[in-house]
């Protein structure tokens, strides 16, 4: 009697069961990829930096967290168990989450947070993405230490559209805080002032030698061989700072942005905002000596108010060197690369214009829904019997179209799916500012924001053009806006106030870059387009964490389509409860 094809297929799948990166994942073959299982135990871990030991929230005791490795088309099943007193939710930043909105992660948007002693299984498939993304906590300021890289390799039997690198290295920029970041944000919200600063920037969790009391083992070192091509997977995980990066006497070739290929271009300086990722190639020199070069990053800021951490983090690119013999004192004698000025807005504008999609993409040529959102800072009145430290004795606030988004007490996606809004939210978010003014000129007399939990509803598969206009009420700032659940095409940007008659003629509708996080220029505007092909509730917010906390956030509702594969499936049985 013959053996059925079903039995043969099952036997083949089982025989191919393998273990990849045994401390992180196991895999089994599926129809289009493999299913990779990870276990994330959220634990407190004592970590020492700059002569200061503190207990921080980590994944599996690691800071930064362990890397996730997958291929395009793979399914990820990640069980997250919370062993800490803080509420936890994890966002898989940049993953499209096509029809898997229950796994997106922002607390009180797509899920209630995971409480202490509870678990939740995030289950999603990587579709149409290759490159570098990342994960991070998405509740309060917990992501200060809870973050890690997501490495997405091409499908099997396919290759990169550029030279195969000799080695791939994730490089994550972050911040080190001696203070408890939850105390920092709570104090800022209570007083209405800007938050205290971090104590250092970090590269892969290490602050480098320019900070006081930094030990030799607290410097990131990249040991390289001459004449080789290295792929650096760059991630900006800092809470509040956009960064410039440079390596002395070396150049980069940028090949990817937010897990989408771009037309390669060369540069000696990188600019990267919180939330953004980029893959860059670096070709090492044909050196025979044990040469060493500094890798340095420092912030970009145009803020007229508040303070920021104006320091430099340094790592070392070293050739043919025994790392253990490399003394810290020798690092300080190396020349620092020349980075742009702290407020170099022209560099940032030119940088953004260098990005173009590798192919023509699917940028919408016609638009069914047009929106114009103002983004920026405002203020709230000081409560009675309280002294506030914001502008003119008020409290700092932030808004989109002058609405400072109020987080609900239960998850919006859950409430909408089951039809139990109970006045939890409204769907009347304005398409345009209610009150127009000179957005980049003299501020209006009334700079107070309004508050609410308002969303925009989009019919399934309709096209959207969104112009985001920066305001200068309390100074011009670059705002890195991140949209969950979608990539969008950056079709235009400019200085000053957007002009719908003249500025639209400059749009790039041929090869605009595809991203999930884009900077609204300081004192300017940016235009993006996307197709609403992913049913669910999707958060959009500034990725500078203090602006997010002040309310620079909103949400989109994308309705189900008519066909079964155009509808959001029911929630998993272990979805956390509030």
């Amino acid at each position: 009697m013959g053996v059925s094809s079903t039995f043969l297929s099952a036997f083949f799948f089982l025989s191919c069961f393998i273990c990849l990166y045994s401390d992180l994942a196991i895999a089994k073959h599926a129809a289009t990829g493999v299913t990779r299982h990870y276990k994330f135990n959220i634990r407190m871990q004592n970590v020492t930096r700059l002569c200061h030991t503190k207990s921080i929230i980590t994944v599996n005791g690691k800071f930064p967290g362990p890397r996730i490795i997958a291929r395009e088309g793979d399914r990820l099943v990640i069980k997250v168990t919370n062993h800490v007193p803080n509420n936890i939710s994890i966002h898989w930043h940049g993953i499209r989450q096509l029809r898997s909105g229950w796994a997106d992660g922002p607390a009180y948007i797509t899920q209630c947070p995971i409480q202490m002693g509870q678990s939740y299984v995030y289950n999603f498939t990587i579709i149409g993405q290759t490159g570098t993304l990342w994960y991070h906590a998405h509740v309060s300021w917990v992501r200060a230490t809870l973050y890690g890289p997501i490495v997405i390799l091409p499908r099997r039997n396919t290759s990169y559209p550029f030279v195969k690198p000799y080695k791939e290295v994730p490089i994550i920029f972050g911040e080190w805080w001696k203070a408890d970041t939850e105390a920092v944000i709570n104090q800022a919200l209570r007083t209405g002032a800007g938050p205290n600063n971090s104590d250092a920037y970090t590269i892969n969790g290490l602050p480098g030698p320019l900070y006081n009391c930094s030990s030799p083992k607290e410097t990131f070192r990249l040991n390289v061989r001459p004449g080789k091509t290295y792929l650096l997977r760059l991630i900006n995980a800092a809470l509040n700072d956009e960064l410039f990066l440079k390596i002395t006497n070396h150049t980069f070739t940028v090949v990817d942005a937010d897990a989408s290929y771009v037309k390669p271009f060369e540069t000696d300086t990188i600019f990267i905002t919180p939330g953004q990722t980029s893959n860059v190639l670096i070709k090492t020199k044909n050196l025979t000596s044990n040469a060493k070069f500094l890798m340095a990053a420092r912030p970009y800021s145009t803020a007229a108010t508040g303070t920021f951490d104006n320091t430099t983090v340094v790592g070392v690119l070293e050739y043919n060197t025994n790392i253990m013999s490399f003394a810290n004192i020798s690092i300080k004698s190396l020349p620092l690369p020349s980075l742009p000025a702290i407020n170099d807005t022209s560099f940032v504008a030119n940088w953004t214009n260098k990005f173009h999609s590798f192919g023509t993409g699917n940028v919408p040529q016609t638009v069914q829904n047009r929106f114009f959102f103002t983004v920026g800072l405002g203020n709230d009145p000081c409560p009675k019997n309280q002294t506030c430290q914001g502008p003119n004795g008020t409290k700092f606030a932030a808004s989109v179209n002058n609405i400072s988004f109020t987080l609900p007490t239960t998850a919006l996606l859950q409430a909408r799916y089951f039809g139990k809004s109970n006045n939890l939210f409204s769907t009347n978010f304005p398409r345009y500012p209610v009150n127009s003014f000179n957005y980049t000129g003299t501020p209006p007399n009334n700079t107070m924001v309004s508050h609410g939990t308002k969303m925009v509803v989009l019919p399934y598969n309709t096209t959207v053009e969104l112009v985001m206009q920066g305001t200068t009420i309390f100074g011009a700032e670059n705002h890195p806006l991140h949209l969950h659940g979608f990539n969008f095409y950056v079709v235009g940007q400019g200085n000053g106030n957007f002009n719908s008659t003249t500025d639209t003629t400059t749009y790039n509708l041929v090869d605009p870059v595809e991203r999930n996080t884009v900077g609204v220029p300081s004192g300017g505007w940016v235009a993006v387009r996307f197709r609403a092909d992913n049913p669910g509730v999707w958060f959009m917010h500034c990725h500078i964490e203090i602006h997010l906390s002040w309310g620079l956030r909103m949400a989109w509702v994308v309705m189900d389509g008519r066909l079964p594969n155009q509808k959001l499936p029911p929630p998993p049985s272990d979805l956390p409860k509030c």
Side-chain angles (χ1 to χ4, degrees):
M1 188 173 71
V3 180
S4 71
S5 61
T6 302
F7 176 82
L8 287 173
S9 297
F11 178 79
F12 172 75
F13 289 159
L14 288 172
S15 68
C16 292
F17 189 88
I18 59 173
C19 180
L20 293 176
Y21 304 95
S22 59
D23 62 326
L24 295 177
I26 59 174
K28 61 181 179 179
H29 278 262
T32 58
V34 300
T35 299
R36 301 177 186 265
H37 293 265
Y38 288 77
K39 288 185 178 180
F40 275 20
N41 287 296
I42 310 303
R43 299 188 183 278
M44 304 301 297
Q45 180 70 35
N46 284 341
V47 174
T48 301
R49 297 288 186 273
L50 308 179
C51 298
H52 178 79
T53 301
K54 63 180 290 192
S55 186
I56 65 172
I57 301 174
T58 68
V59 175
N60 300 344
K62 297 183 178 181
F63 171 66
R67 74 183 67 175
I68 288 175
I69 301 175
R71 291 188 181 276
E72 182 190 352
D74 287 354
R75 185 164 69 106
L76 289 169
V77 179
I78 306 167
K79 182 177 181 180
V80 177
T81 303
N82 183 11
H83 301 279
V84 304
N86 304 66
N87 283 342
I88 296 295
S89 71
I90 297 183
H91 171 50
W92 318 94
H93 184 112
I95 298 290
R96 281 291 316 273
Q97 299 293 1
L98 286 163
R99 298 182 65 237
S100 56
W102 304 107
D104 191 45
Y108 304 106
I109 304 298
T110 59
Q111 68 166 94
C112 297
I114 307 166
Q115 299 175 34
M116 186 176 184
Q118 302 297 311
S119 298
Y120 180 47
V121 177
Y122 293 89
N123 188 334
F124 55 89
T125 300
I126 299 172
I127 300 173
Q129 295 179 285
T130 304
T132 302
L133 296 173
W134 62 301
Y135 61 85
H136 60 82
H138 212 306
V139 56
S140 192
W141 280 24
V142 176
R143 79 171 180 88
T145 58
L146 201 167
Y147 58 82
I150 302 175
V151 173
I152 307 174
L153 302 171
R155 291 178 182 271
R156 292 198 178 277
N157 302 318
T158 61
S159 59
Y160 296 123
F162 46 80
V163 61
K164 182 179 179 180
Y166 171 73
K167 190 176 181 180
E168 302 183 9
V169 184
I171 294 181
I172 311 178
F173 300 99
E175 295 165 341
W176 176 252
W177 299 73
K178 292 182 180 178
D180 175 5
T181 50
E182 292 303 281
V184 171
I185 181 55
N186 289 339
Q187 180 188 33
L189 294 178
R190 184 175 61 255
T191 64
N196 292 337
N197 298 326
S198 60
D199 295 281
Y201 297 112
T202 58
I203 301 176
N204 288 359
L206 302 171
L210 301 188
Y211 294 101
N212 290 335
C213 214
S214 178
S215 72
K217 65 182 180 181
E218 290 178 16
T219 296
F220 172 72
R221 293 182 170 94
L222 177 58
N223 193 268
V224 298
R225 294 188 177 184
K228 300 289 187 181
T229 298
Y230 289 77
L231 176 67
L232 306 185
R233 296 178 174 271
L234 306 178
I235 301 167
N236 187 348
L239 285 183
N240 293 313
D241 292 284
E242 303 162 297
L243 297 169
F244 296 116
L245 166 70
K246 198 168 186 177
I247 300 177
T248 304
N249 293 342
H250 286 73
T251 58
F252 307 97
T253 302
V254 180
V255 294
D256 174 290
D258 292 351
S260 293
Y261 293 128
V262 299
K263 287 185 172 70
F265 67 90
E266 290 193 2
T267 180
D268 65 357
T269 306
I270 301 288
F271 172 71
I272 187 166
T273 77
Q276 288 185 337
T277 62
S278 192
N279 283 359
V280 303
L281 301 175
I282 180 169
K283 178 71 178 294
T284 58
K285 300 176 181 297
N286 289 311
L287 298 175
T288 56
S289 62
N290 295 342
K292 306 167 185 67
F293 301 89
L294 289 187
M295 169 191 305
R298 75 173 184 198
Y300 162 69
S301 176
T302 60
T305 57
T307 60
F308 63 97
D309 183 0
N310 187 8
T311 62
T312 301
V313 60
V314 163
V316 185
L317 181 77
E318 50 190 0
Y319 286 72
N320 308 309
T321 302
N322 180 345
I323 294 177
M324 299 307 293
S325 67
F326 191 23
N328 211 37
I329 188 67
S330 64
I331 303 177
K332 294 182 180 180
S333 66
L334 297 174
L336 271 171
S338 176
L339 287 160
I342 294 289
N343 61 350
D344 194 341
T345 56
S346 61
F347 178 93
V348 172
N350 291 335
W351 169 261
T352 307
N353 285 326
K354 290 181 179 181
F355 285 83
H356 298 271
S357 288
F358 189 75
T360 56
N362 294 306
V363 58
Q365 298 296 310
T366 59
V367 175
Q368 294 161 299
N369 298 279
R370 295 183 187 276
F371 299 89
F372 181 84
F373 288 176
T374 56
V375 297
L377 303 188
N379 54 336
D380 276 327
C382 189
K384 291 183 179 180
N385 302 318
Q386 183 178 332
T387 301
C388 295
Q389 300 171 12
N392 301 315
T394 64
K395 286 188 166 189
F396 270 117
S399 66
V400 181
N401 275 355
N402 206 48
I403 298 171
S404 186
F405 187 86
T406 303
L407 276 181
T409 54
T410 191
L412 293 174
L413 181 59
Q414 193 172 357
R416 179 169 172 83
Y417 185 87
F418 290 108
K420 296 180 179 180
S421 62
N422 295 326
N423 299 318
L424 192 71
F425 62 86
S426 66
T427 55
N428 61 344
F429 191 94
R431 287 175 173 256
Y432 302 93
V434 175
N435 298 308
S436 60
F437 60 96
N438 184 355
Y439 307 115
T440 57
T442 303
N445 292 330
N446 183 4
T447 58
M448 297 293 177
V449 303
S450 61
H451 293 263
T453 307
K454 299 184 179 184
M455 303 192 290
V456 174
V457 177
L458 295 171
Y460 179 81
N461 211 37
T462 55
T463 55
V464 176
E465 178 178 302
L466 169 62
V467 176
M468 292 178 282
Q469 172 72 58
T471 64
T472 59
I473 291 174
F474 291 120
E477 291 189 62
N478 201 71
H479 294 283
L481 263 290
H482 171 51
L483 176 60
H484 290 226
F486 295 91
N487 281 356
F488 48 72
Y489 292 94
V490 183
V491 297
Q493 70 164 17
N495 294 320
N497 296 335
F498 175 74
N499 186 309
S500 59
T501 302
T502 59
D503 287 331
T504 53
T505 64
T506 67
Y507 280 2
N508 174 11
L509 300 179
V510 177
D511 61 351
V513 66
E514 188 177 357
R515 302 206 76 134
N516 63 61
T517 305
V518 66
V520 180
S522 177
W525 57 271
V526 65
V528 303
R529 288 185 179 184
F530 64 94
R531 181 176 294 277
D533 58 358
N534 195 6
V537 174
W538 304 106
F539 209 21
M540 189 179 81
H541 60 89
C542 183
H543 225 282
I544 291 178
E545 209 68 14
I546 185 58
H547 295 169
L548 170 65
S549 300
W550 283 338
L552 210 167
R553 52 198 181 190
M554 56 83 65
W556 304 80
V557 178
V558 177
M559 298 173 65
D560 283 345
R562 294 180 179 179
L563 302 177
N565 66 350
Q566 298 172 343
K567 300 179 186 298
L568 179 70
S573 59
D574 64 339
L575 186 71
K577 295 178 174 60
C578 288

